[in-house]
Amino acid sequence: MKNFDLVIIGAGPGGYIAAIRAAQLGMNVACIDKFVNQDNKPSLGGTCLNIGCIPSKALLESSELFAKIEHDFIDHGISVTKPSIDLTKMQSRKQKIVNELTGGVAYLFKKNKITSLHGHASFVGENESGVVIRVDNDGTSEEVCGEKVIIATGSKPRALPNLAFDNKSVLDNEGALALTSVPKRLGIIGSGVIGLEMGSVWKRLGSQVTILEAQPSLLAATDKDIAAEALKIYTKDLGLNFEFSVKLGDISTKNKEITINYQIDSIPKKIVVDKLIVSIGRLPNTDNLKCENVGVSLDEKGFIAVDEHCQTANSKIWAIGDVVRGPMLAHKAEEEAVAVVESINGQFAHVNFNTIPWVIYTSPEIAWVGRTEQSLKSENIPYRIGKFPFAANGRAKGLNETRGFVKIIAHQVTDEILGVHIIGPFASELITEAVVAMEFKASSEDIARIVHAHPSLSEVIHEAALAVDGRALNM
Ligand code: FAD
Ligand code: NAI
């Protein structure tokens, strides 16, 4: 049996980043991953690189360009004879990006002398050298021993009861990203991040999209002003159909059509669609991991139970990323990875959960960091708000991307920035200024006094900071 200083289970953004950082610090590392791609080949990078963040952003970009040609170019005085879509080419571009990045992880593993093992990992027990893990691959198995272990097994899509994913008509994220033709009628259950991103892609490419949501409103955890603006844009500009307060009933498939019966306020309704995406959240991946063999316990929601340092009930085993509490985001997994490895190495390590940014890559993008107005209100924390629209910004006008605004919330007494919420062009990039500011405990006055390039979208953040004190200059 081979012994390693550190064995990592899972090669997603949590696992592969942990492996690289540990190798940089001189540890002898093995990383076990079981993912196989559509060609049945092992592919590192986990959900994020293979069937999540990266392929979704590739299709979002392609479909947005298509929508721009159809609806936006005309404003620039550019006319194009009716554009068409080659979905095969669009999908192969997506896959090329995925392959380059997953191949990049394999390259980095080689470069950093990380032992990459393919197969399903499960805990066997402990011996005098550490934790014993069995790796099963296609009928063969081997055991490896890690003095320390990090579990980074990620998450999997949650299915509806009695409606298994077949990725032919009932699709999870993998199926939703792999469609080979544009469905005429697309149903989506759940108007969360995946529902909105996938809904945007297929609507722009020509589907009629209906999204059924259990909650009474859109994006309940998002700042209320952002959610209201988003709903307006998604319905009026993009043309998504939403149904809220939905109670699902019977769902049946016949002749390639899916009939979804549901109720709103006890009134029966139904839709018939050609494909159905179910995006109702994700579950931690602990299938057949045999945590019980090494004393690793799960919390009441099935996540691996960890303390604030990602330590499990076993002092030799840590867990990070989607398989533990906290937001299911790639950058959260990566930061936990670095923090755990550095703390194993005796360094100080900390992840600031208060400054983890969220981004929804719709058009326009939504991004935020920190507290929402409604959460501050519910805790009676006094605050001031500065808001500034992209419509009053020269760069946004030049880009023809004038929808949305920046909203900065600062403490009424100390002026410390408590939350920044953006709906608008390149919100995913703009939010970093807010993250840096909040990490350094900046006040809105600090941002108001920082020089922002002109003309740039970042001026909207500058003006929103000025607006906190009622002194926006261009409004
Ligand atoms: P994962 O990436 O899930 O990796 C876990 C790996 O472990 C997988 O390869 C899995 O096969 C393997 N594994 C599991 N069990 C075992 C086992 N027993 N033995 C061996 N291997 C095992 N986040 C963002 O921040 N930005 C985005 O834009 C974004 N877009 C997304 C879009 C979609 C469609 C989806 C589904 C997710 C998206 N996410 C996004 C979320 C992001 O993908 C996850 O937060 C991130 O991948 C979590 O990383 P992880 O390392 O914890 O797990
Ligand atoms: P989600 O948690 O974002 O949204 C799920 C939605 O489904 C919620 O609005 C919920 O109310 C609704 N829902 C649950 N049960 C329902 C039911 N029975 N009927 C109708 N609606 C129901 O989950 P989603 O979209 O599956 O994404 C999972 C996670 O993946 C996200 O929370 C996020 O962490 C990550 N992700 C991140 C992205 C990003 O950072 N841009 C992109 C995509 C996913």
Side-chain angles (χ1 to χ4, degrees):
M1 180 164 48
K2 284 194 195 127
N3 288 291
F4 295 90
D5 299 331
L6 179 65
V7 174
I8 297 159
I9 308 177
Y16 89 75
I17 289 293
I20 291 170
R21 185 71 190 115
Q24 285 174 343
L25 291 168
M27 293 179 215
N28 177 21
V29 187
C31 184
I32 309 164
D33 191 271
K34 67 177 178 186
F35 186 85
V36 287
N37 64 16
Q38 76 283 2
D39 300 325
N40 216 23
K41 293 213 173 95
S43 181
L44 301 173
T47 303
C48 173
L49 265 51
N50 288 288
I51 49 171
C53 324
I54 297 302
S56 59
K57 268 78 250 179
L59 290 186
L60 278 157
E61 186 61 26
S62 298
S63 60
E64 192 173 351
L65 288 177
F66 180 67
K68 275 197 169 148
I69 293 175
E70 281 204 306
H71 308 297
D72 199 42
F73 274 30
I74 195 79
D75 293 345
H76 292 268
I78 304 168
S79 43
V80 178
T81 44
K82 194 159 174 48
S84 61
I85 299 162
D86 180 345
L87 191 54
T88 310
K89 192 158 184 191
M90 201 179 276
Q91 289 286 19
S92 57
R93 171 187 173 273
K94 175 204 82 180
Q95 200 52 44
K96 184 166 174 277
I97 295 168
V98 168
N99 293 346
E100 282 169 4
L101 291 175
T102 54
V105 176
Y107 161 78
L108 290 170
F109 274 17
K110 264 202 192 118
K111 182 181 157 202
N112 286 284
K113 301 189 172 50
I114 294 160
T115 301
S116 185
L117 300 171
H118 179 70
H120 176 92
S122 57
F123 290 109
V124 176
E126 291 184 63
N127 65 18
E128 61 292 344
S129 308
V131 179
V132 179
I133 297 165
R134 177 181 156 128
V135 186
D136 286 295
N137 179 22
D138 250 352
T140 64
S141 79
E142 67 174 307
E143 287 187 354
V144 293
C145 180
E147 194 185 319
K148 307 253 166 28
V149 174
I150 297 177
I151 304 169
T153 48
S155 64
K156 59 183 179 189
R158 184 157 81 89
L160 284 165
N162 307 321
L163 189 71
F165 294 111
D166 61 9
N167 277 340
K168 291 193 176 81
S169 48
V170 181
L171 315 173
D172 61 14
N173 54 296
E174 191 167 2
L177 287 163
L179 287 171
T180 50
S181 62
V182 178
K184 190 160 178 290
R185 299 160 300 176
L186 175 66
I188 300 180
I189 316 264
S191 65
V193 201
I194 294 181
L196 293 172
E197 291 188 356
M198 290 298 94
S200 297
V201 167
W202 296 110
K203 171 67 192 156
R204 289 171 193 154
L205 296 180
S207 298
Q208 291 162 26
V209 179
T210 305
I211 306 187
L212 306 181
E213 167 59 50
Q215 294 289 323
S217 61
L218 184 70
L219 296 173
T222 311
D223 187 88
K224 61 182 179 45
D225 292 347
I226 299 283
E229 183 76 1
L231 182 61
K232 224 166 45 192
I233 293 171
Y234 296 154
T235 48
K236 286 209 179 118
D237 296 359
L238 180 58
L240 295 177
N241 301 313
F242 290 95
E243 292 271 46
F244 293 107
S245 302
V246 161
K247 203 162 172 287
L248 289 175
D250 187 49
I251 301 177
S252 57
T253 307
K254 201 174 164 193
N255 299 334
K256 296 193 173 169
E257 282 189 338
I258 309 152
T259 304
I260 303 138
N261 290 288
Y262 59 98
Q263 290 188 357
I264 298 177
D265 295 334
S266 304
I267 299 165
K269 296 188 157 208
K270 77 167 180 188
I271 53 168
V272 181
V273 296
D274 304 302
K275 301 277 178 193
L276 178 65
I277 298 174
V278 177
S279 48
I280 54 169
R282 296 178 63 83
L283 299 171
N285 223 340
T286 55
D287 299 348
N288 200 24
L289 194 55
K290 302 198 176 153
C291 289
E292 64 283 3
N293 288 347
V294 286
V296 167
S297 47
L298 307 184
D299 66 18
E300 64 287 351
K301 291 182 177 157
F303 290 88
I304 291 186
V306 288
D307 67 12
E308 69 273 30
H309 305 294
C310 294
Q311 179 92 62
T312 69
N314 183 321
S315 64
K316 298 187 188 108
I317 305 176
W318 288 257
I320 59 172
D322 281 12
V323 79
V324 300
R325 83 288 174 261
M328 287 183 165
L329 295 172
H331 40 286
K332 177 263 194 182
E334 293 181 359
E335 290 311 313
E336 284 183 334
V338 171
V340 165
V341 171
E342 292 185 352
S343 71
I344 289 174
N345 193 51
Q347 300 178 26
F348 173 76
H350 172 66
V351 178
N352 185 356
F353 274 74
N354 299 322
T355 55
I356 294 179
W358 273 87
V359 179
I360 306 176
Y361 292 82
T362 48
S363 179
E365 292 177 349
I366 292 175
W368 73 93
V369 57
R371 304 291 300 266
T372 61
E373 186 180 349
Q374 60 269 28
S375 76
L376 293 171
K377 200 173 249 170
S378 71
E379 287 176 35
N380 288 322
I381 297 172
Y383 58 85
R384 292 193 300 171
I385 285 176
K387 243 168 128 177
F388 197 83
F390 284 95
N393 173 266
R395 186 78 206 284
K397 280 188 185 295
L399 290 167
N400 215 22
E401 295 278 2
T402 52
R403 294 172 301 178
F405 54 83
V406 172
K407 173 175 175 179
I408 296 183
I409 312 176
H411 195 281
Q412 189 166 33
V413 180
T414 66
D415 194 35
E416 182 179 340
I417 298 170
L418 303 175
V420 177
H421 305 270
I422 307 175
I423 178 164
F426 297 102
S428 56
E429 306 294 336
L430 292 173
I431 199 65
T432 305
E433 176 177 4
V435 176
V436 173
M438 286 181 65
E439 194 63 50
F440 285 91
K441 302 227 169 286
S443 61
S444 75
E445 181 73 16
D446 288 325
I447 292 194
R449 289 188 181 278
I450 288 171
V451 182
H452 289 69
H454 175 76
S456 74
L457 298 172
S458 71
E459 288 173 296
V460 181
I461 295 190
H462 187 221
E463 290 278 8
L466 285 161
V468 171
D469 194 40
R471 54 192 168 96
L473 294 163
N474 285 286
M475 270 284 275

